[in-house]
Amino acid sequence: NRLPGMSSIIRKIETLSMDNLAERYFRQGTPIVISVDYDASHLGVPIAGIGILIKSATGLLVGSLATYFYQQPPFRLPAKAKVSLELTEPRLNPGTYFLSVCVAQHQLALLDMIEAAVSIEVLPSDIYGTGFLLSSEDGVVALSGKLTIVEHYD
């Protein structure tokens, strides 16, 4: 699934539990750690970021995570490293999701990208504490909000 013309920089992609164990199945609301091991030392160019795109089984782009979100410019990463990004919000609804991973020289210059590199399964969980379980029929993410009820009498 590596895009044509890309350098082979990405060495290993794993999804991990919070205990740092390889995992593919996650309960809804459980943090998901995505670990990317890469080596661009042979290219001799600066590495600015690692990005992850999350798509639903139907191909809908759910969102992305990137090292750019957590660092101040100038964006610089080591030429060879293992980067871990933790997805905590939004909470994915039950279903299958595909993760694409990229390494970039800067925000608009990809050096390597593997589409649908790994898949994960999100399993139902009582995230609201009410006994109500969400499904893929409720969309791809669980929304958080606040409920107020004011009883009125005529």
Side-chain angles (χ1 to χ4, degrees):
N1 297 346
R2 181 168 270 122
L3 293 183
M6 296 282 120
S7 299
S8 292
I9 296 170
I10 300 168
R11 301 288 181 224
K12 186 175 184 182
I13 303 162
E14 288 184 294
T15 51
L16 306 168
S17 68
M18 291 303 293
D19 298 327
N20 213 30
L21 300 173
E23 184 61 71
R24 184 176 176 265
Y25 299 92
F26 296 89
R27 288 244 164 244
Q28 185 179 27
T30 302
I32 300 167
V33 177
I34 302 120
S35 173
V36 180
D37 187 336
Y38 69 92
D39 182 357
S41 58
H42 61 286
L43 294 179
V45 297
I47 301 299
I50 306 291
I52 298 164
L53 299 173
I54 302 170
K55 290 187 178 182
S56 70
T58 61
L60 176 71
L61 178 61
V62 176
S64 62
L65 281 175
T67 55
Y68 302 113
F69 303 170
Y70 308 101
Q71 297 177 305
Q72 294 296 318
F75 302 116
R76 297 203 195 281
L77 295 176
K80 182 179 181 180
K82 180 178 179 180
V83 171
S84 295
L85 292 163
E86 182 180 323
L87 175 65
T88 54
E89 293 286 335
R91 296 168 293 184
L92 298 172
N93 277 345
T96 302
Y97 297 87
F98 295 94
L99 284 60
S100 297
V101 179
C102 63
V103 176
Q105 187 175 359
H106 59 78
Q107 214 167 349
L108 301 174
L110 295 182
L111 295 170
D112 195 6
M113 181 166 187
I114 302 175
E115 291 187 324
V118 294
S119 68
I120 60 169
E121 295 285 333
V122 176
L123 307 172
S125 184
D126 184 8
I127 60 171
Y128 297 116
T130 63
F132 183 82
L133 299 178
L134 294 169
S135 74
S136 60
E137 297 297 315
D138 296 302
V140 291
V141 296
L143 302 178
S144 296
K146 184 177 178 181
L147 170 67
T148 302
I149 299 172
V150 177
E151 189 173 343
H152 288 277
Y153 294 100
D154 291 333

